[in-house]
Amino acid sequence: MAEMEWKTAVAGQIGAETVIRGYPLTELIGSVSFAEAIFLVLKGETPTEREKKLLEATLVAVIEHGIAPPSIVAARMVLSGGNSINSAVAAGALTLGDFHGGAIEMLAKILQESLTPDVDNVRSLAKRIVHEFKEKNQRVPGFGHKLYKRDPRALKLIQIARDLGFKGKYIDFALAIQDELEADSKGKPLPLNVDGVTAAIMSEMGIHWRNGTGLFIIGRIPGVVAHVVEEKMREKPFRRLPEGSHKYDGKPIRHLTEKK
Amino acid sequence: MAEMEWKTAVAGQIGAETVIRGYPLTELIGSVSFAEAIFLVLKGETPTEREKKLLEATLVAVIEHGIAPPSIVAARMVLSGGNSINSAVAAGALTLGDFHGGAIEMLAKILQESLTPDVDNVRSLAKRIVHEFKEKNQRVPGFGHKLYKRDPRALKLIQIARDLGFKGKYIDFALAIQDELEADSKGKPLPLNVDGVTAAIMSEMGIHWRNGTGLFIIGRIPGVVAHVVEEKMREKPFRRLPEGSHKYDGKPIRHLTEKK
Amino acid sequence: MAEMEWKTAVAGQIGAETVIRGYPLTELIGSVSFAEAIFLVLKGETPTEREKKLLEATLVAVIEHGIAPPSIVAARMVLSGGNSINSAVAAGALTLGDFHGGAIEMLAKILQESLTPDVDNVRSLAKRIVHEFKEKNQRVPGFGHKLYKRDPRALKLIQIARDLGFKGKYIDFALAIQDELEADSKGKPLPLNVDGVTAAIMSEMGIHWRNGTGLFIIGRIPGVVAHVVEEKMREKPFRRLPEGSHKYDGKPIRHLTEKK
Amino acid sequence: MAEMEWKTAVAGQIGAETVIRGYPLTELIGSVSFAEAIFLVLKGETPTEREKKLLEATLVAVIEHGIAPPSIVAARMVLSGGNSINSAVAAGALTLGDFHGGAIEMLAKILQESLTPDVDNVRSLAKRIVHEFKEKNQRVPGFGHKLYKRDPRALKLIQIARDLGFKGKYIDFALAIQDELEADSKGKPLPLNVDGVTAAIMSEMGIHWRNGTGLFIIGRIPGVVAHVVEEKMREKPFRRLPEGSHKYDGKPIRHLTEKK
């Protein structure tokens, strides 16, 4: 029966051995770093030395960004209602949607599907992509930042990728899109942001765009855990919105008896 | 107003700089490994070289264990209903409760609260702990395995900790509990398992027991991501339990009209 | 500051009174049925007598459908990992996506956006909708059933709506789509199913299509609760996929040392 | 194999008929109200006329309470991150823990386990319960309110139960606990609140205390749905905590190079 079959190529038993993508788990423990194991689990192969370094840097870049984002507020609210650590962390993961890390997967899809081996001019390709989005009246995901003209995390990651000797065709492509967007934005900066650069970098490492959101979740969850544990150890339960920060603006008072 | 105050010591802005536990984020990117950043985020300080190596090994040890555990089934079911990657991963995190990784936090609490600096005999302390649980008719968390007489992942992690020169008082304490349990079990093996050894190891590294579940979630999420992406790319939607694997065993058929 | 403003027209305080859509809560308690209160909360007005009856029937129609659907399996898996009732119920809600109740919202959107007041021929409109989906190579949501030529729950709800004197233009429109689909399906039945009829019925009652998924969640959650409580009271913890029902089909065994 | 067996007494197929607790689903549609179906699903039997009325009133009493509670904030935050309606509703359910509706189940357990048929004096039983909690230095769940000396929702539900002719021994027991608590509180009101009265009422109706949290979730979910749909239709995405409402109070700025 088709539905009975639960098949996986990620991990399982071969004889008495638990293997991950073919490698015995006990052999991996102590031999590879956590980031290397993440690469193996997602891509199916261990990374090269420079892929390892670039992935470590990328995961560090997204690990934490303060208490203000909706994912942290949602996670702390769940804890505050009197729930378990894992429930609260799950609420953090639930929040990481289209507007909260989702640009990684969306841009990685564009980069990987457009930049076929035969393309040799990323600039004209970038022009086409920007034009297509403009036609559809949509924003290209992965560009723009509230505070920065250039996102320092993105600049740092690009520098690391260059120093490690990556070819950088996806990075060049992403930067060409940035240039096209800014040529059309009347002086408004639309920098490749940390989501956008993550999309380019995972493409450089040959990680399929479908892993974009997952990569961001993996990177961000430690930060969520730290916040949730802090909420548990430092705050009183049951956070409500404070008086004065919210209001009812619906129907004025009325009564069931007024209806005939 | 108390409720308005959202305070955190995890990360935030100092001037124009985003800092994590005081360190500028851009300084961390490329300088520390992902596991080091996890240590920093959770404990508030960067690890020593041997703490780093032990944490890498510990996170690798829990990253994946095949398709059969309830967390993976729940995550794949959510994806299968036509939902986003992050929703499905959240369902995986939701499943990691008292019987699925929860032993880490429970045992770490026992280890850290009982093993005060004045204790010099872990054996008599272990005897007392085992006795107390027996009195309450409860199982000590972190021991026992369906398949193994000794859990190979636990043995490997203990070896690594010893080789790295950790003092090992929490490991010794946990092993003493194992011996006490087995002295009382009529030959049934009750080995320190991978959850149990994680509890001992995080205690060796001075990580507060409240982070136990969080540490397991951080380690396991990459595996959940890999399964969810595989489900998305390889399976048809809407998995139902197959015919023949489930049955209704409730009230026989009856009718509302039979009631007077 | 825009972000500080938490505004709602659903419920709040007017003086000392808690109101829902303007009506004092204490006045509603004991005066309206649960389904009437649901209608009020979602649409902003209390239902007429026939709207009340139709909503009661619709919610009953989706309340439970056995243990096999992915939502129930996911919810029971979460409970089985050693988690709270509300976590497990949340996993059930998480599973109710595009392929599990999602057709309600998708079809309701189509019905409500196409059937403008000026349309007097639903048959030609249905023809156009079916044609458009065929062009895009997509299935019209809300039609088809694995077992039934006609879905008995749908037939029952349509009969009730007719008996209550609803005009039925959305029902007629949905049935016209069914006829168009079947005219083109070479004898394969493509009946309006329970999701599809719910879409038509909520449209008859003037409930905005955006509430489609919500309406299904409200109706189905009691069933999820019953399953989760049953799992808690009747089953042992930690359900794993049984041996023989799953397999690893990834890379054969290999070793890190094989890499040069 | 034990794990293969998915058994349920809630609902399933008998021949061609889908039954809920034995009753054919198509027979229930149009014959029972949604609240009656909820009673049937949870308890296994249809309610009497007065049980039906009391359950309708109880579910209406908890359906909504404004935008301020953590469940609503968490749900809106998840939606705001760019996620589906069902994910956001799930976050609401996740928040309904020990301090947010959890008192229902906790008090119902106490009421149902202490009030055995042989008890004829609820006052001395109440005295004993209050004494036991005081000894353990714990609060009895289900009593106290920030605003009210007496909770108007609780008073209304008690009145309805009395008017319907319920014996009221669980209500009397709960009120006796209230009196004992207040006799000991130096004038501070500790009224039976809406959670507490729900615990008493479900006990009057013979619903097992294990359904306490589930009952609250069923009642509250419609309110969560209304908020989430409102967030979708009325607000811009990505709510962050506003500047000035949060602060970093961790380690001052420091640098990796400062470590020797």
Side-chain angles (χ1 to χ4, degrees):
Chain A
M1 219 164 311
E3 301 124 310
M4 285 221 53
E5 275 171 32
W6 291 86
K7 289 171 299 186
T8 183
V10 179
Q13 301 293 124
I14 298 181
E17 205 75 78
T18 298
V19 301
I20 295 181
R21 303 288 190 186
Y23 294 106
L25 175 53
T26 48
E27 223 175 283
L28 294 167
I29 301 171
S31 303
V32 299
S33 78
F34 184 41
E36 284 178 285
I38 291 168
F39 193 99
L40 173 64
V41 161
L42 296 186
K43 196 180 164 184
E45 298 297 333
T46 52
T48 62
E49 188 60 23
R50 68 180 189 188
E51 284 171 337
K52 172 194 166 176
K53 283 182 178 158
L54 189 53
L55 182 59
E56 303 270 15
T58 307
L59 292 169
V60 171
V62 300
I63 198 170
E64 238 301 287
H65 215 249
I67 200 172
S71 50
I72 303 302
V73 177
R76 283 179 176 258
M77 281 292 183
V78 167
L79 198 284
S80 174
N83 293 287
S84 62
I85 296 287
N86 64 312
S87 293
V89 173
L94 276 185
T95 318
L96 303 175
D98 287 353
F99 306 121
H100 199 341
I104 298 172
E105 196 160 316
M106 292 186 248
L107 182 59
K109 182 172 193 290
I110 296 165
L111 298 179
Q112 294 180 18
E113 293 188 344
S114 332
L115 195 47
T116 46
D118 57 300
V119 174
D120 45 39
N121 188 337
V122 295
R123 192 145 298 278
S124 61
L125 187 58
K127 208 181 277 287
R128 209 193 71 210
I129 299 290
V130 171
H131 180 73
E132 283 172 15
F133 273 77
K134 203 175 170 183
E135 290 282 290
K136 290 182 293 184
N137 205 19
Q138 289 176 359
R139 293 183 52 181
V140 186
F143 297 87
H145 200 281
K146 276 198 315 191
L147 302 172
Y148 303 126
K149 283 187 62 167
R150 288 294 175 262
D151 187 328
R153 294 165 297 176
L155 296 181
K156 187 80 189 249
L157 287 171
I158 291 170
Q159 189 56 49
I160 290 169
R162 304 267 196 230
D163 291 350
L164 289 168
F166 278 86
K167 261 198 235 137
K169 64 175 182 162
Y170 290 102
I171 293 171
D172 292 343
F173 184 20
L175 289 173
I177 295 176
Q178 171 189 287
D179 292 346
E180 281 303 316
L181 289 170
E182 294 193 335
D184 199 41
S185 73
K186 296 164 188 163
K188 188 184 164 200
L190 283 166
L192 183 66
N193 56 35
V194 74
D195 288 355
V197 80
T198 302
I201 278 174
M202 65 182 284
S203 304
E204 296 287 339
M205 296 188 290
I207 298 176
H208 194 284
W209 61 265
R210 283 271 188 215
N211 293 285
T213 296
L215 206 59
F216 183 63
I217 296 172
I218 293 168
R220 180 55 60 92
I221 284 294
V224 178
V225 168
H227 279 284
V228 163
V229 171
E230 188 183 56
E231 181 77 19
K232 181 82 182 177
M233 296 181 73
R234 195 173 152 177
E235 305 291 342
K236 293 218 187 85
F238 206 76
R239 285 186 188 260
R240 282 169 58 87
L241 292 181
E243 294 307 308
S245 74
H246 61 96
K247 71 169 180 200
Y248 171 72
D249 64 355
K251 281 274 161 67
I253 201 151
R254 52 183 176 166
H255 301 279
L256 291 168
T257 48
E258 289 160 16
K259 296 180 73 170
K260 245 150 345 3
Chain B
M1 221 166 310
E3 302 125 309
M4 286 221 52
E5 276 172 31
W6 290 87
K7 287 172 300 184
T8 183
V10 179
Q13 300 294 123
I14 297 182
E17 204 76 79
T18 298
V19 300
I20 296 182
R21 303 289 189 184
Y23 294 106
L25 175 52
T26 48
E27 222 175 284
L28 294 167
I29 301 171
S31 303
V32 299
S33 79
F34 184 41
E36 286 178 284
I38 292 168
F39 193 99
L40 173 64
V41 161
L42 295 186
K43 196 179 164 186
E45 298 297 333
T46 52
T48 62
E49 188 59 25
R50 67 180 190 189
E51 284 171 338
K52 173 194 166 176
K53 283 182 179 158
L54 189 53
L55 182 59
E56 303 271 13
T58 307
L59 292 169
V60 171
V62 300
I63 197 168
E64 238 303 286
H65 216 249
I67 200 171
S71 49
I72 303 302
V73 178
R76 283 179 176 259
M77 282 293 183
V78 168
L79 198 284
S80 174
N83 292 288
S84 62
I85 297 286
N86 65 311
S87 294
V89 174
L94 276 186
T95 318
L96 303 175
D98 286 355
F99 306 120
H100 198 340
I104 298 171
E105 195 160 317
M106 293 186 249
L107 183 59
K109 183 173 192 288
I110 296 165
L111 298 179
Q112 293 180 18
E113 293 188 343
S114 333
L115 196 46
T116 45
D118 57 300
V119 173
D120 46 40
N121 189 335
V122 295
R123 192 144 300 277
S124 61
L125 186 59
K127 208 180 277 284
R128 209 193 71 207
I129 299 290
V130 171
H131 180 72
E132 283 172 13
F133 273 77
K134 203 175 171 185
E135 290 282 292
K136 290 182 294 185
N137 206 19
Q138 290 176 358
R139 294 184 51 183
V140 187
F143 298 87
H145 201 281
K146 278 197 314 191
L147 304 171
Y148 304 125
K149 282 187 61 166
R150 290 291 176 262
D151 187 329
R153 294 165 297 175
L155 296 180
K156 186 79 188 249
L157 286 172
I158 291 169
Q159 190 57 49
I160 290 168
R162 303 266 197 232
D163 291 350
L164 289 168
F166 278 87
K167 262 197 235 136
K169 64 176 183 162
Y170 290 101
I171 293 171
D172 292 343
F173 183 20
L175 290 172
I177 295 175
Q178 171 190 287
D179 293 346
E180 281 303 316
L181 289 170
E182 294 192 335
D184 198 41
S185 73
K186 296 163 188 162
K188 186 185 165 200
L190 283 166
L192 183 66
N193 56 34
V194 74
D195 287 355
V197 80
T198 302
I201 278 174
M202 65 183 282
S203 304
E204 296 287 339
M205 295 189 288
I207 297 176
H208 193 283
W209 62 263
R210 283 273 188 213
N211 293 285
T213 296
L215 206 59
F216 183 64
I217 297 172
I218 293 168
R220 180 55 60 93
I221 284 295
V224 178
V225 168
H227 279 284
V228 164
V229 171
E230 189 183 54
E231 180 76 20
K232 179 84 183 176
M233 295 181 74
R234 195 174 151 176
E235 304 292 341
K236 293 220 187 85
F238 206 76
R239 285 185 187 262
R240 282 170 58 87
L241 292 180
E243 294 307 307
S245 74
H246 61 96
K247 73 169 177 199
Y248 170 71
D249 64 355
K251 281 273 160 69
I253 201 151
R254 53 182 175 165
H255 301 278
L256 290 169
T257 47
E258 288 162 17
K259 296 180 73 169
K260 245 154 345 2
Chain C
M1 221 164 310
E3 301 126 309
M4 285 221 52
E5 275 172 29
W6 290 86
K7 288 171 300 186
T8 183
V10 179
Q13 300 294 123
I14 298 181
E17 205 75 79
T18 299
V19 300
I20 297 181
R21 302 288 190 185
Y23 293 106
L25 175 52
T26 48
E27 221 175 284
L28 294 168
I29 301 171
S31 304
V32 299
S33 79
F34 184 41
E36 286 178 284
I38 292 168
F39 193 100
L40 173 64
V41 161
L42 296 186
K43 197 181 162 185
E45 298 297 332
T46 52
T48 62
E49 189 59 24
R50 67 180 190 188
E51 284 171 337
K52 173 194 164 176
K53 284 182 178 158
L54 188 54
L55 181 59
E56 303 271 14
T58 307
L59 292 169
V60 171
V62 300
I63 197 168
E64 239 303 285
H65 215 248
I67 200 171
S71 49
I72 303 302
V73 177
R76 283 179 176 260
M77 282 292 184
V78 168
L79 199 282
S80 174
N83 293 287
S84 61
I85 297 286
N86 65 312
S87 293
V89 173
L94 276 186
T95 318
L96 303 175
D98 286 354
F99 305 120
H100 198 339
I104 298 171
E105 195 159 318
M106 292 186 251
L107 182 58
K109 183 171 192 290
I110 296 165
L111 298 180
Q112 294 181 17
E113 293 188 343
S114 332
L115 196 45
T116 46
D118 56 302
V119 174
D120 46 38
N121 189 337
V122 294
R123 191 143 302 275
S124 61
L125 186 59
K127 208 180 276 286
R128 209 192 71 210
I129 298 291
V130 171
H131 181 72
E132 283 171 13
F133 272 79
K134 203 175 171 184
E135 290 282 291
K136 289 181 294 184
N137 206 18
Q138 289 176 358
R139 295 183 50 183
V140 187
F143 296 87
H145 201 280
K146 277 198 315 190
L147 303 172
Y148 304 125
K149 281 187 62 167
R150 289 292 176 262
D151 187 329
R153 295 166 295 176
L155 296 181
K156 186 79 189 247
L157 286 172
I158 291 169
Q159 190 56 50
I160 289 169
R162 305 264 197 233
D163 291 350
L164 288 168
F166 278 87
K167 261 195 238 139
K169 63 177 183 161
Y170 290 103
I171 294 171
D172 292 342
F173 183 20
L175 290 172
I177 295 175
Q178 170 189 287
D179 292 346
E180 281 303 315
L181 289 170
E182 295 193 335
D184 198 42
S185 72
K186 296 163 188 162
K188 187 185 165 200
L190 282 166
L192 183 66
N193 56 33
V194 73
D195 289 354
V197 80
T198 302
I201 278 174
M202 66 183 282
S203 304
E204 296 286 339
M205 296 190 288
I207 297 176
H208 193 283
W209 61 265
R210 283 273 187 214
N211 293 285
T213 296
L215 206 60
F216 183 63
I217 297 172
I218 293 167
R220 181 55 61 92
I221 283 295
V224 178
V225 168
H227 279 283
V228 164
V229 171
E230 189 183 55
E231 180 77 20
K232 179 84 184 178
M233 295 181 74
R234 195 173 153 177
E235 304 292 342
K236 294 220 187 84
F238 206 76
R239 286 185 186 261
R240 281 170 58 87
L241 292 180
E243 293 307 308
S245 74
H246 61 95
K247 72 170 177 196
Y248 170 72
D249 64 356
K251 282 274 160 70
I253 201 150
R254 52 184 176 164
H255 301 278
L256 290 169
T257 48
E258 287 160 17
K259 297 181 71 169
K260 246 154 341 7
Chain D
M1 218 163 312
E3 301 125 310
M4 285 222 51
E5 275 172 32
W6 291 87
K7 288 172 301 186
T8 183
V10 180
Q13 301 293 123
I14 298 181
E17 204 75 79
T18 299
V19 300
I20 296 180
R21 304 287 190 186
Y23 294 106
L25 176 51
T26 48
E27 223 175 282
L28 293 168
I29 301 171
S31 303
V32 299
S33 79
F34 184 40
E36 284 179 284
I38 292 168
F39 193 99
L40 173 64
V41 161
L42 296 186
K43 196 180 163 186
E45 297 298 333
T46 52
T48 62
E49 188 59 24
R50 67 181 189 186
E51 284 171 337
K52 172 194 165 177
K53 284 182 178 159
L54 189 53
L55 182 59
E56 303 270 15
T58 307
L59 292 169
V60 171
V62 300
I63 197 169
E64 238 301 287
H65 215 250
I67 200 172
S71 50
I72 303 302
V73 177
R76 283 179 176 259
M77 281 292 184
V78 168
L79 198 283
S80 174
N83 294 287
S84 62
I85 297 287
N86 64 313
S87 294
V89 174
L94 276 185
T95 318
L96 302 176
D98 287 353
F99 306 121
H100 199 341
I104 298 172
E105 195 159 318
M106 293 186 250
L107 182 59
K109 182 171 192 289
I110 295 166
L111 298 180
Q112 294 181 18
E113 294 188 344
S114 332
L115 195 47
T116 46
D118 56 302
V119 174
D120 45 40
N121 188 338
V122 295
R123 192 144 299 276
S124 61
L125 187 59
K127 209 181 276 285
R128 208 192 72 211
I129 299 290
V130 171
H131 180 73
E132 283 172 13
F133 272 78
K134 203 174 170 184
E135 290 282 291
K136 289 182 293 185
N137 205 20
Q138 290 176 358
R139 293 182 51 181
V140 186
F143 296 87
H145 200 281
K146 277 197 315 190
L147 303 172
Y148 303 126
K149 283 187 61 167
R150 289 294 175 263
D151 186 328
R153 293 166 297 177
L155 297 181
K156 185 83 189 245
L157 287 172
I158 291 170
Q159 189 57 49
I160 290 169
R162 304 264 196 233
D163 291 350
L164 289 168
F166 279 87
K167 261 198 237 138
K169 64 176 183 162
Y170 290 102
I171 292 170
D172 292 342
F173 184 20
L175 290 173
I177 295 175
Q178 171 189 287
D179 292 346
E180 281 303 316
L181 289 170
E182 294 193 335
D184 199 41
S185 72
K186 296 165 188 159
K188 188 186 164 198
L190 283 166
L192 183 66
N193 57 34
V194 74
D195 288 355
V197 80
T198 302
I201 278 174
M202 64 183 284
S203 304
E204 296 287 338
M205 296 189 289
I207 298 176
H208 194 283
W209 61 264
R210 282 272 187 214
N211 293 286
T213 296
L215 206 59
F216 183 64
I217 296 172
I218 293 167
R220 180 56 61 93
I221 284 294
V224 178
V225 168
H227 279 283
V228 164
V229 172
E230 188 184 55
E231 181 77 20
K232 180 83 182 178
M233 295 181 73
R234 194 173 152 178
E235 305 291 343
K236 293 220 187 84
F238 206 75
R239 285 186 188 260
R240 283 170 57 88
L241 291 181
E243 294 307 308
S245 75
H246 62 95
K247 71 171 179 196
Y248 171 71
D249 64 356
K251 282 274 162 67
I253 201 151
R254 53 184 176 165
H255 301 280
L256 290 168
T257 48
E258 288 160 16
K259 297 180 73 170
K260 252 153 336 357

